[in-house]
């Protein structure tokens, strides 16, 4: 089954995403910011990464750029999670290498459907 990393500074978001995706049978690894996420990306092989945009230490845009520089993650789907539905942030995320976008708050059904669609 696919291995997914959720990168978010909010423990409640990480736990809820983790719970939903674990119920679907995915293996989920949590990271609490971009720096932690980058370390885990280098040490593991994820089929999907879900990352928050607004985080301390290393934000989601910088995290995506750094992950995209790793050869193993050049084509790995990355979904950006954010509370912002602003076009500017979406364009910035896409330019950094985000595959898609989920605006918070989202339902577990929506999350599951998007993950299933991406991972097949």
């Amino acid at each position: 089954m696919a291995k997914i990393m959720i990168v978010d500074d909010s423990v409640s978001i990480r736990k809820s995403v983790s719970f939903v995706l674990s119920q679907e049978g995915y293996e989920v690894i949590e990271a609490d910011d971009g720096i932690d996420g980058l370390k885990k990306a280098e040490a593991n092989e994820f089929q999907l990464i879900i990352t928050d945009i607004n985080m301390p230490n290393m934000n989601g845009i910088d995290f995506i750029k750094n992950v995209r520089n790793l050869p193993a993650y050049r084509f790995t789907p990355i979904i950006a999670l954010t509370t912002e539905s602003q076009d500017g942030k979406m364009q910035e995320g896409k330019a950094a290498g985000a595959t898609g976008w989920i605006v918070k708050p989202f339902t577990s059904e929506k999350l599951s459907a998007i993950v299933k669609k991406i991972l097949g």
Side-chain angles (χ1 to χ4, degrees):
M1 189 45 90
K3 195 190 270 192
I4 300 170
M5 176 166 57
I6 169 72
V7 185
D8 200 311
D9 56 320
S10 160
V11 174
S12 59
I13 296 276
R14 281 200 320 265
K15 293 292 175 212
S16 64
V17 168
S18 216
F19 177 77
V20 170
L21 297 179
S22 297
Q23 294 289 305
E24 298 284 340
Y26 299 106
E27 183 182 341
V28 184
I29 305 283
E30 297 178 25
D32 50 27
D33 63 27
I35 293 169
D36 186 32
L38 197 55
K39 279 187 202 139
K40 288 178 175 159
E42 289 168 341
N44 293 276
E45 200 177 308
F46 297 104
Q47 284 70 54
L48 173 65
I49 296 173
I50 300 172
T51 181
D52 188 20
I53 293 297
N54 300 317
M55 297 183 285
N57 306 320
M58 182 191 288
N59 68 38
I61 303 286
D62 290 339
F63 168 70
I64 293 168
K65 286 178 185 164
N66 280 290
V67 168
R68 285 292 182 223
N69 286 330
L70 302 172
Y73 291 100
R74 207 155 285 148
F75 304 108
T76 303
I78 300 176
I79 297 175
L81 282 186
T82 187
T83 50
E84 298 168 49
S85 51
Q86 299 158 331
D87 283 347
K89 277 284 183 213
M90 287 187 187
Q91 292 312 317
E92 212 181 326
K94 282 219 183 328
T99 313
W101 206 263
I102 299 178
V103 178
K104 298 182 215 171
F106 52 86
T107 63
S108 52
E109 292 80 15
K110 183 176 180 183
L111 177 67
S112 293
I114 289 169
V115 169
K116 275 185 190 141
K117 187 176 172 188
I118 289 172
L119 295 176

